[in-house]
Amino acid sequence: MAHAAGNAPDIPNHPLAVRMGVIAGVAHNLVIGTIMGSFGIMLASVEQRLGVSGEAAAAGIPLVLVGSSILAPFVGVLIAKVSLRLLLLAGALLAAAGYVLLALTHSYALYLVAYGLFFGPALSLAGSVGPATLVTRWFHRNRGLALGVVHLPVVIAVMPWLLHKALDGMAPTTLYMAIGLVTAAILVPLSLLAVDHPPGQETVAPVSRDRRTSDGSLSVAQLLARPRFWALCLAAVASMASSVMLGSLLVPMGESWGFTRAESAQLQSVMSLAGIFGSVMFGWIADRLGGGRSLALIGFNCALLWAILLFHPPFAVTAVVVGLIGLHGGGAIPTLGRGLSDSFGQASYSRGFGLNTLIGLPFIASSVIGSAKAFSLTGSYDPAIKAMTVFFVLAVVLGLYGATGPKIEGPLAAPEPEPEPA
């Protein structure tokens, strides 16, 4: 049966849920943390070893992001049909193999292969869609909080510091090999301990049996036909685009406001640190308000915060505002996860999350490229800030609309049929 929006179903989690959460958290952190956290600190050594320019060496991360975003919808469908344990294992092996290739190769082409064909799929399988799906399947109670804890960016925060220290006494190729071996040693056995589904049935899509797939989920086409799905996704994308835009451009933005480079870098650190707390806080909030309402709350607060940046406040005020934006940005994934699973069933989550990753790609890319272009044309980031403010105002409306409609109470409850796609 349906429950009121924002009232989390009081269904106890299976005793193995905590184990699945640990597996998901380690996989997410190790895959994304090592790939993203090692890239910048190793960039200079890549230029020297491969004899390429800084721009050429920097192509690795865009390849990962574009590749993983394009693959995410397919991974979401695959997870609904194939053993999640095997897919997590495949992602772990791809990540480890990518580092081994980086350690052994002196070819720029193979360097790109490592990032595009090894790390890109690994990020979707074992870094984003796979771990989030595992948590969503196993947690009924405090699902949003569990997603928030799993997505804490612990490894990505410490990896640059660890590698900086290690580079004093170890060759970059040795470090690549070590990361690969550690990844394999930890993630391969953990992946084998993953259990695809809890013993009880997952919540299914709130439509009649003949309008959903055999596993109780909505197909890709059915999800895309529902305005509420688009509303939840776009409300979350606003927050994701905000985080990536500030994370990429905060230093030049700060300098354009009259701050020093060191002060602007401090702003970036404040934003990243606040995002760690935001992931847990908004996961907890999503369990109480529901995913859609939580996304609307994030949109309302961020619209105000971005509008304040238009006044170019002094450094201390800007630091508080940027920190609060980072805090809210950390809540995008747990609130979206709660919204998708409550509205369309746990069985539909992997498809929905994978589609969201692809839907967000053009918005996220445009936020960075468009902001840089606006600055080159006007000498100010204000047009980009205004656009982001408007996007968050729309996110409030989208989040509230996404919060409407039936919500699934429990895995054994018979879903109420939807009269029409919504």
Side-chain angles (χ1 to χ4, degrees):
M1 60 184 293
H3 68 82
N7 294 332
D10 189 26
I11 301 169
N13 297 321
H14 190 276
L16 288 179
V18 173
R19 183 213 288 181
M20 299 306 116
V22 171
I23 293 171
V26 173
H28 167 80
N29 258 279
L30 203 55
V31 173
I32 292 183
T34 55
I35 293 173
M36 300 299 181
S38 68
F39 185 76
I41 198 71
M42 303 292 278
L43 208 55
S45 67
V46 170
E47 295 175 42
Q48 296 173 1
R49 184 160 56 98
L50 302 184
V52 297
S53 67
E55 291 79 6
I61 286 299
L63 273 177
V64 172
L65 294 177
V66 172
S68 63
S69 296
I70 292 174
L71 283 172
F74 301 100
V75 170
V77 172
L78 199 61
I79 286 175
K81 298 177 178 295
V82 180
S83 167
L84 181 52
R85 175 193 296 166
L86 293 179
L87 294 177
L88 289 172
L89 178 61
L93 292 174
L94 282 169
Y99 286 112
V100 172
L101 180 57
L102 288 178
L104 299 178
T105 187
H106 291 275
S107 163
Y108 178 64
L110 290 179
Y111 169 80
L112 296 180
V113 167
Y115 277 93
L117 299 183
F118 285 80
F119 290 156
L123 198 110
S124 283
L125 289 167
S128 59
V129 184
T133 301
L134 187 64
V135 171
T136 301
R137 285 178 175 178
W138 281 86
F139 281 82
H140 293 288
R141 182 179 293 169
N142 295 326
R143 187 185 306 144
L145 179 59
L147 284 167
V149 172
V150 162
H151 287 87
L152 285 174
V154 177
V155 174
I156 198 171
V158 301
M159 181 60 65
W161 178 82
L162 289 175
L163 290 179
H164 175 72
K165 295 293 184 182
L167 280 170
D168 290 338
M170 299 176 67
T173 51
T174 303
L175 288 176
Y176 278 134
M177 183 66 73
I179 296 172
L181 293 177
V182 169
T183 298
I186 295 176
L187 287 190
V188 168
L190 275 182
S191 299
L192 293 175
L193 288 174
V195 181
D196 290 348
H197 299 275
Q201 181 185 356
E202 298 170 21
T203 57
V204 297
V207 295
S208 58
R209 187 180 300 274
D210 61 344
R211 293 174 59 198
R212 58 181 189 247
T213 64
S214 58
D215 65 355
S217 65
L218 294 174
S219 67
V220 168
Q222 288 172 320
L223 283 171
L224 292 176
R226 280 164 168 75
R228 280 194 298 124
F229 171 75
W230 283 94
L232 290 169
C233 285
L234 292 176
V237 165
S239 187
M240 295 172 185
S242 165
S243 297
V244 174
M245 174 187 163
L246 275 187
S248 303
L249 300 175
L250 193 50
V251 171
M253 287 176 75
E255 290 179 313
S256 76
W257 298 331
F259 305 139
T260 65
R261 177 167 287 270
E263 287 174 330
S264 301
Q266 289 175 25
L267 292 176
Q268 196 165 31
S269 299
V270 167
M271 176 185 164
S272 300
L273 184 62
I276 295 176
F277 295 101
S279 179
V280 175
M281 186 181 82
F282 277 99
W284 179 83
I285 290 173
D287 287 328
R288 281 140 188 85
L289 295 183
R293 289 180 177 178
S294 299
L295 286 168
L297 176 64
I298 290 174
F300 179 81
N301 292 346
C302 285
L304 295 177
L305 292 168
W306 276 87
I308 292 173
L309 292 179
L310 288 171
F311 296 95
H312 304 167
F315 179 78
V317 176
T318 301
V320 172
V321 171
V322 167
L324 289 173
I325 291 174
L327 183 80
H328 287 74
I333 291 180
T335 49
L336 173 67
R338 185 83 220 194
L340 291 178
S341 57
D342 281 356
S343 295
F344 307 109
Q346 291 163 292
S348 301
Y349 177 78
S350 64
R351 286 188 177 95
F353 188 69
L355 282 171
N356 175 80
T357 304
L358 182 60
I359 289 169
L361 180 61
F363 290 92
I364 293 170
S366 297
S367 70
V368 177
I369 297 171
S371 299
K373 184 66 174 178
F375 180 77
S376 67
L377 292 176
T378 67
S380 171
Y381 285 100
D382 285 359
I385 294 174
K386 291 176 182 177
M388 192 59 68
T389 303
V390 171
F391 197 177
F392 274 118
V393 171
L394 292 174
V396 176
V397 179
L398 292 169
L400 291 175
Y401 175 68
T404 63
K407 304 293 184 293
I408 294 94
E409 176 71 29
L412 300 178
E416 296 177 359
E418 288 183 340
E420 57 182 293

